[in-house]
Amino acid sequence: MAHHPADETSEYDVARIQEKWQAIWDDLQPFSTRDDGDKRPRKYVLDMFPYPSGDLHMGHAEAYALGDIIARYWRQQGFNVLHPIGWDSFGLPAENAAIKRGIDPRPWTEDNIAQQKKSMKQYAASFDWDRVLHTSDPGFYRWNQWLFLKMFESGLAYRKASWVNWCPKDQTVLANEQVVDGACERCGTTVVKKKLTQWYFKITDYADRLLDDLNQLEGFWPAKVLAMQRNWIGRSQGADVDFLIEGRDEPLSVFTTRPDTLFGATFMVVAPDSELAAELVAGASTEVQENFAAYLADVQKNTEIERQDASREKTGVFLDRWAINPVNGERVPIWSADYVLADYGHGAIMAVPAHDQRDLDFARKFDLPVRVVVDTNAPITGAIPIIVDGELPDDLPPLDPAGTGVALAGDGRMINSGPLDGLSKSNAIARMIELLESNGTGRRATNFRLRDWLISRQRFWGTPIPIIHAHDGSLIPVPDEQLPLELPSAEGLDLSPKGTSPLGGDAEWMSVTNPVDGTPAQRDPDTMDTFVDSSWYFLRFLNPNDPTQAFDPREAEKWAPVDQYIGGVTHAILHLLYARFITKVLYDMGYVTFTEPFSALLNQGMVLMDGSAMSKSKGNLVRLSEQIEEHGVDAIRLTMAFAGPPEDDIDWADVAPHASAKFLARAWRLARDVTSAPDVEWKNGDRDLRRVTHQLLADAPGLIEAFKFNVVVARIMELVNATRKAIDSGPGGADPAVREAAETVALCLSLFAPYTAEEMWEALGYPPTVALYGWRKADPTLLVADSVTCVVQVDGKLRDRLKVSPSIAPAELERLARALPAVARTVGDREIANVIVRAPRLVNLVTRQRGETSPSQ
RNA sequence: GCCCCCGUAGCCCAAUUGGCAGAGGCAGACGACUUAAAAUCGUCACAGUGAGGGUUCGACCCCCUCCGGGGGCACCA
C-alpha cells in the first residue's frame, strides 16, 4: 500500500489518470526517434495517414489502436521503432467544405488537423511527434512536384487525349480505379465518358513487375489483398495476329488468348469509339458512314453501367470492309460493336463465335457464320470428357453452338484447322504462335486489364502540376529553383465545379514567363490526384522537414521499407498499387534499394453498429469522443483489441466497453494490493501463480506477432484472475509471485491500455515509463508442469485420465493405461488390436472382436 | 458466371495446426457484502463445432457434395 502517493484517491479515476500521463509523456517524449547513435535494431511501423475531415471516428480508433499495439510491442522487444503520423490533407472534402462555407480550404484543413492531433494524443498513440507532415504543406508538395518532373523526364508522365471517366457532380475526371460499378467512388454519381487531354503516369510499363513481385509478399500481406491486386492487374497471355485489310496498306493487329481458334474466325469487330473504326468507315459508302455515325452517337449516350451489362443484347454495325485471315486466306467481314473496348489490346478482335460466348451472341444476332474448330467432345489426357470403360459416353453434347447458343469454351482436339488438326488446345496455341511467328503475321503477346494512371484533376485543392505550356504548345518543366509552385489563395476564385480547373480562373497565377525563351506562357491549370501524395509519403517521414530533398536515401537505407503497414482494406487496390508502382520507379532511378514499400500489411476490419456501417443518415453513429468520455481511452483501445481478430469487422453492439473498463480497474487494483517491495525475490513466490505468469511471458510475443491481440488480452485476464485469487484466498498480497504477476500485467497492458499500465507501474514503485521498460523473458523451468493429464481412449472414445510425469516413457504410460479399471471394463473380452501412444498426452487402445484378424468389413 | 474467405454455447470469440471442444468476455442464474441499491467478490449453468459423406486409431482441423453469410473480378478478346 505504500507505493502510491497518499494524496491520490484510491479510486480508479480515468479522467485524472489520462490528464496526468499526457503531461508526463509530452515532457519525456518517449517515442521520439531522433538519436542517431541509437544502436538498437530498427522497425518502421506505419499507420495509413488520415484524411482530416472532422475529428477522429471509431474507424480511426480501431486502426490506431492496432497499429499502436504493434509499435509498442516492438519497442518493448528492444527495437528502435519509427512510428510517425501525418495528414493526407489535400482533396475533395476540404474543397467541398470550402465551397459550401465560401472559405479557403486551408483554415478548415488546419482546424481539423489540430483537432485530430489533440485527439490522437489523448488516445495515447505512441507517435513520434517530431516527424509530422501534411500533404497540403508546400514543404511536402514541392517534392510531389519534384517526383512529377522526374517522371516527366523519364517519359513516365505524359499527356494524351482519350475518353476519360467524368463525374458530372464533382466535375472532374476520375481514374479507372475510382469508378465503382460505373459510378463515382466518392459521390455515387453515374460516370460518363468525355474526351479530354490529361496527364497520365505510365503504370502499365510496370504491370509485369507489379504482378510478379506480389509473390514476395505472399504470407506477409493478406491473401485477399494479393488476390485483389492480381485481379486488378489482370494479365492475359496470348498472341497478336495481323490481318490484312482490303484497301488498306497497314495490316490490322488483334490480340487473342485463343490463337488456336484462328481457323474459326469468321468476322472481326472493332471498337466504335476507336481511331481505327473512324478510319475504316471513312473509306466506306455514305450509307455505311451514316449508319456508323448513328451507332457511335448511340453508344456514347450509354453510361458505363449500361455498357458493362453483359446480359444486354449485342449491338453493332457492318463497316462494309473486309480482312484476310492470315492462316487460310479467307475474307472475313469487319463489324463495329461496343462489346469491344477501344483501350484494351488493339481495340479490335477476331471473332470466333463457336468458342467465345460474346462472339457467338453477336453472330446469332446478326446471322454470321459459326465454325467449330475444337472438338470439345474428343478425349484429352487429364481432361473431360470422361471415358467410361474405354468407351466415350453416348450422351455427349452436340458440337452445335449456333443451335444451342452456348459457345464451346472447353478443351478438346482441333478440327477444321489444317496443320493444327488433332492437337489439344494448349499444344495448338503453342503451334499456332510458332506458325504466325515464322510467317511474320503474328507473335506472342501479353495484355493487361490495368490502364495507365490518370493523375490530373480539374480541382483546386491539390498539388499544382509543375509544367509550363509555351505558346507553341511545347511542355516545359518548371525550373527546380522556382519550386514549390504554390497554390494561390482561393480568395476571389470560383472553386465550384464547372468542368474546368479553378486555377485557370486566376489569370495572374496562370500567366508565366517561358523560362527557356522569355516569351509569355501559361501554367498548367490542373492539380494532381491525391493518390500521388500518398504513393511516397512513407519516405518523407524519414526527413519530413528537409528543404533540400524529397527524402534522404541514407535514411531510407536505415528505415525503409516499412516493416509493418496497418490500414483499411478499402485501400487494397488503389493506394497500395500506386505506392508499389512509385517505389519501383524510385528504385529504377536509384533513389531506393528496395522494390516493395510495405514488407508486411495488416488490414483492420470496419467498426459497425447493429450490423451496418455507421452513418449519420442511418442514425447508428457512435461517437468516439462520447465513448472515450464514458469509458476512457484505455477501455476503448482494449475493446478494439479484444473484440476479435483484427481483420474481422467489429459490431459495436456486440462488444462491451464497460466490461473493458471494469477489467482495467480490476487490474489496477492488483497493483494497489501488492504489499511487497520491488526488490523481493520472485523465486520465493507461489509456484502456481508464477507458472501462469511465465506461461503468459512465453506465449504473448508469438501471439502478438501473429496479430492474435484478442487472445493476448484473454490471457492477461486469466493472469489477473489468478492473481486476484492469490491475493484474496491464496498466499496473499505479500507473496513475491503476486508482485511479479502484477508487474507482468502492467507490462502486457502497456501495449493495449497505456494509462492503466503507467499508473500500475508507478504504484508498483517504478519510475516512468513502462512503455520503455523491456519485456521479461519467461523462466523455462516454470513452463514445465510437474504432472500432465494423459487422456486414455478406447477406440477413440475418452474413458479415463491419468496424472503422469511429462517425461514418462511410452511403454510405462501404456502399462498404466491398460491397468485402468475403466479401460478394462470397456475393453471387456475384446482383443486389443493396436495401441497408439503419444506420451505424455494420450493413449488410444484400438480393439477388435476376439478371433478376427482384420477389422470387419 | 469465375475466384477467394467464413459458419464452434443466447452473443463476441479461443482451441499448441490431426490428440480431453473452452482460454477470456458479454448477457443470465444463485450467493457474499449492504438498511437497500450500485460497485466489488464468489459459485453455477449453457454448445459437440451449418448439413451429409469420406480418409484416419482419432477430425472443429484434411478431402468431396450441399446449405447459409461475406468479399473480389466480370463484354478485358
Side-chain angles (χ1 to χ4, degrees):
Chain A
M1 298 293 268
H3 304 294
H4 63 97
D7 61 342
E8 285 176 358
T9 72
S10 60
E11 290 306 302
Y12 174 73
D13 180 348
V14 169
R16 182 187 61 80
I17 293 172
Q18 286 178 188
E19 248 177 73
K20 169 180 160 187
W21 287 99
Q22 275 176 64
I24 296 174
W25 294 330
D26 272 348
D27 186 39
L28 293 178
Q29 301 204 29
F31 312 118
S32 170
T33 35
R34 277 170 305 185
D35 184 5
D36 285 338
D38 202 316
K39 291 284 185 285
R40 289 174 295 169
R42 299 182 190 89
K43 284 271 181 195
Y44 188 176
V45 177
L46 184 64
D47 296 287
M48 289 182 186
F49 64 167
Y51 193 88
S53 48
D55 200 356
L56 298 182
H57 53 66
M58 296 298 282
H60 293 122
E62 182 185 5
Y64 296 129
L66 302 182
D68 209 45
I69 290 165
I70 295 170
R72 287 174 179 270
Y73 168 75
W74 287 113
R75 245 179 241 117
Q76 196 172 49
Q77 296 294 322
F79 286 75
N80 185 11
V81 174
L82 176 59
H83 189 215
I85 191 70
W87 279 271
D88 191 13
S89 52
F90 267 142
L92 280 179
E95 186 157 350
N96 289 339
I99 292 163
K100 204 169 145 194
R101 295 170 177 78
I103 54 170
D104 193 285
R106 287 178 183 86
W108 185 88
T109 301
E110 283 160 16
D111 289 352
N112 282 331
I113 289 174
Q115 178 59 51
Q116 291 197 349
K117 183 173 180 181
K118 192 173 164 221
S119 297
M120 283 170 172
K121 286 196 166 189
Q122 184 199 32
Y123 201 59
S126 64
F127 294 128
D128 179 351
W129 291 107
D130 295 333
R131 293 178 183 261
V132 174
L133 65 79
H134 316 146
T135 57
S136 59
D137 179 350
F140 179 87
Y141 69 72
R142 183 239 182 284
W143 300 107
N144 239 11
Q145 292 169 336
W146 168 83
L147 176 67
F148 178 95
L149 292 175
K150 282 284 164 198
M151 304 279 286
F152 182 67
E153 276 168 28
S154 56
L156 289 168
Y158 68 98
R159 264 159 78 85
K160 78 171 172 192
S162 70
W163 293 97
V164 298
N165 302 304
W166 179 261
C167 173
K169 175 145 181 293
D170 288 338
Q171 292 276 313
T172 188
V173 299
L174 301 169
N176 271 341
E177 289 82 347
Q178 290 166 324
V179 179
V180 177
D181 291 334
C184 173
E185 173 194 54
R186 177 168 300 285
C187 66
T189 309
T190 300
V191 168
V192 299
K193 287 284 184 181
K194 201 167 170 175
K195 191 147 195 173
L196 286 174
T197 300
Q198 299 281 318
W199 285 101
Y200 290 83
F201 280 173
K202 215 167 187 178
I203 192 170
T204 51
D205 273 9
Y206 285 73
D208 270 317
R209 288 161 68 187
L210 287 167
L211 187 66
D212 293 338
D213 287 357
L214 289 171
N215 295 337
Q216 299 172 24
L217 304 172
E218 203 78 55
F220 300 98
W221 279 33
K224 182 178 160 180
V225 175
L226 295 176
M228 285 165 79
Q229 295 242 332
R230 289 190 177 110
N231 260 339
W232 189 263
I233 296 166
R235 180 162 58 195
S236 301
Q237 318 265 20
D240 282 343
V241 183
D242 303 333
F243 283 68
L244 290 174
I245 308 291
E246 291 182 356
R248 186 182 195 251
D249 294 336
E250 286 291 299
L252 191 167
S253 293
V254 299
F255 174 70
T256 177
T257 55
R258 293 292 305 275
D260 56 316
T261 61
L262 186 46
F263 282 90
T266 53
F267 57 101
M268 296 187 73
V269 185
V270 300
D273 51 346
S274 63
E275 307 278 329
L276 185 63
E279 184 214 309
L280 289 177
V281 82
S285 69
T286 314
E287 190 195 340
V288 167
Q289 289 192 23
E290 281 170 3
N291 280 348
F292 175 78
Y295 180 63
L296 180 61
D298 231 29
V299 164
Q300 287 178 345
K301 263 190 302 196
N302 284 338
T303 63
E304 273 299 282
I305 299 179
E306 288 161 339
R307 201 196 57 73
Q308 286 180 6
D309 178 7
S311 64
R312 116 184 185 275
E313 280 264 298
K314 289 279 181 290
T315 58
V317 289
F318 179 44
L319 297 184
D320 198 18
R321 299 289 301 258
W322 298 79
I324 308 297
N325 186 326
V327 289
N328 59 12
E330 264 180 26
R331 281 179 97 220
V332 295
I334 304 176
W335 287 65
S336 183
D338 69 350
Y339 79 93
V340 172
L341 309 177
D343 60 351
Y344 184 79
H346 302 282
I349 62 158
M350 67 179 210
V352 185
H355 304 288
D356 181 284
Q357 190 61 50
R358 296 155 302 184
D359 297 342
L360 181 62
D361 293 344
F362 192 84
R364 280 159 54 96
K365 174 88 183 280
F366 294 101
D367 214 17
L368 294 160
V370 177
R371 185 191 305 145
V372 175
V373 292
V374 185
D375 178 356
T376 50
N377 287 338
I380 294 291
T381 313
I384 53 161
I386 293 148
I387 299 171
V388 183
D389 298 332
E391 298 281 322
L392 285 175
D394 52 12
D395 58 348
L396 290 170
L399 293 176
D400 179 24
T404 62
V406 179
L408 304 169
D411 204 348
R413 292 213 178 269
M414 305 307 298
I415 53 174
N416 303 322
S417 293
L420 266 41
D421 280 354
L423 294 178
S424 69
K425 174 173 160 181
S426 59
N427 288 339
I429 289 174
R431 183 76 193 107
M432 178 58 86
I433 291 174
E434 283 171 23
L435 285 173
L436 291 169
E437 286 181 341
S438 65
N439 294 340
T441 50
R443 60 217 65 85
R444 188 176 300 283
T446 303
N447 259 291
F448 296 90
R449 212 193 74 96
L450 182 70
R451 307 297 150 88
D452 275 343
W453 175 13
L454 196 171
I455 61 132
S456 41
R457 295 289 180 276
Q458 288 69 54
R459 298 303 298 248
F460 172 79
W461 194 231
T463 303
I465 290 176
I467 290 290
I468 292 165
H469 297 259
H471 59 87
D472 64 354
S474 59
L475 303 170
I476 299 163
V478 172
D480 196 63
E481 65 274 12
Q482 290 178 22
L483 296 180
L485 169 58
E486 290 201 41
L487 281 174
S489 162
E491 199 158 337
L493 282 186
D494 176 13
L495 300 191
S496 62
K498 55 191 179 301
T500 56
S501 298
L503 286 175
D506 188 331
E508 194 187 327
W509 188 86
M510 283 296 290
S511 96
V512 62
T513 303
N514 182 332
V516 178
D517 60 13
T519 58
Q522 292 282 297
R523 295 205 182 278
D524 194 303
D526 287 354
T527 53
M528 293 184 216
D529 183 1
T530 56
F531 277 115
V532 177
D533 315 3
S534 53
S535 66
W536 68 280
Y537 79 114
F538 64 98
L539 292 168
R540 186 65 183 167
F541 278 125
L542 306 179
N543 334 51
N545 302 310
D546 189 341
T548 66
Q549 54 190 340
F551 59 91
D552 184 341
R554 283 167 314 188
E555 290 290 307
E557 195 56 37
K558 267 167 68 178
W559 290 104
V562 173
D563 294 291
Q564 181 66 58
Y565 200 32
I566 300 110
V569 74
T570 45
H571 292 113
I573 297 173
L574 300 171
H575 160 57
L576 293 172
L577 190 69
Y578 295 148
R580 295 181 59 230
F581 163 53
I582 295 297
T583 299
K584 290 176 200 304
V585 170
L586 291 172
Y587 172 85
D588 289 349
M589 292 176 176
Y591 289 104
V592 298
T593 57
F594 49 90
T595 55
E596 284 292 335
F598 311 121
S599 305
L601 175 68
L602 173 65
N603 284 136
Q604 86 277 4
M606 290 190 301
V607 185
L608 312 175
M609 185 62 192
D610 291 323
S612 55
M614 294 181 190
S615 78
K616 256 180 265 178
S617 56
K618 278 193 199 124
N620 65 347
L621 194 70
V622 178
R623 285 186 194 287
L624 177 60
S625 55
E626 286 168 13
Q627 292 294 306
I628 288 175
E629 182 68 26
E630 192 174 341
H631 307 289
V633 165
D634 280 355
I636 301 306
R637 290 177 51 125
L638 191 78
T639 302
M640 294 293 184
F642 185 52
E647 55 278 5
D648 287 6
D649 291 345
I650 298 173
D651 193 328
W652 206 248
D654 289 335
V655 295
H658 67 271
S660 299
K662 184 174 115 178
F663 162 72
L664 290 170
R666 189 171 150 85
W668 173 81
R669 257 181 271 116
L670 293 181
R672 199 191 52 177
D673 292 347
V674 169
T675 55
S676 58
D679 59 357
V680 287
E681 286 282 357
W682 297 331
K683 67 176 192 298
N684 301 327
D686 178 76
R687 202 170 165 81
D688 286 339
L689 180 57
R690 294 202 72 202
R691 261 205 198 92
V692 182
T693 300
H694 284 258
Q695 200 62 57
L696 177 55
L697 288 171
D699 294 347
L703 289 169
I704 295 284
E705 288 177 41
F707 307 136
K708 295 186 174 191
F709 309 134
N710 54 329
V711 181
V712 177
V713 174
R715 297 287 301 277
I716 302 171
M717 289 173 169
E718 190 181 10
L719 179 58
V720 167
N721 290 345
T723 312
R724 183 82 258 156
K725 205 167 215 163
I727 293 169
D728 289 350
S729 54
D735 191 283
V738 168
R739 165 168 280 278
E740 185 186 30
E743 291 185 4
T744 301
V745 168
L747 285 171
C748 290
L749 274 185
S750 75
L751 309 186
F752 306 92
Y755 292 112
T756 307
E758 294 284 16
E759 198 67 14
M760 287 180 73
W761 200 240
E762 185 186 55
L764 287 162
Y766 290 94
T769 150
V770 68
L772 297 183
Y773 191 93
W775 187 248
R776 286 176 180 159
K777 288 243 163 26
D779 177 350
T781 63
L782 287 166
L783 300 178
V784 203
D786 295 337
S787 69
V788 297
T789 303
C790 175
V791 179
V792 182
Q793 298 176 336
V794 177
D795 294 321
K797 288 207 169 54
L798 176 69
R799 293 303 175 193
D800 206 349
R801 295 182 171 88
L802 281 168
K803 279 256 180 196
V804 297
S805 154
S807 54
I808 190 166
E812 170 67 1
L813 189 60
E814 180 179 341
R815 193 186 60 75
L816 289 173
R818 281 176 183 266
L820 288 168
V823 169
R825 202 179 324 120
T826 319
V827 172
D829 61 355
R830 294 172 67 85
E831 174 175 22
I832 292 175
N834 193 10
V835 183
I836 290 101
V837 183
R838 294 281 177 276
R841 292 278 171 204
L842 174 133
V843 176
N844 186 14
L845 303 166
V846 186
T847 69
R848 68 170 169 236
Q849 202 60 52
R850 200 159 285 280
E852 283 179 20
T853 52
S854 64
S856 54
Q857 293 292 323

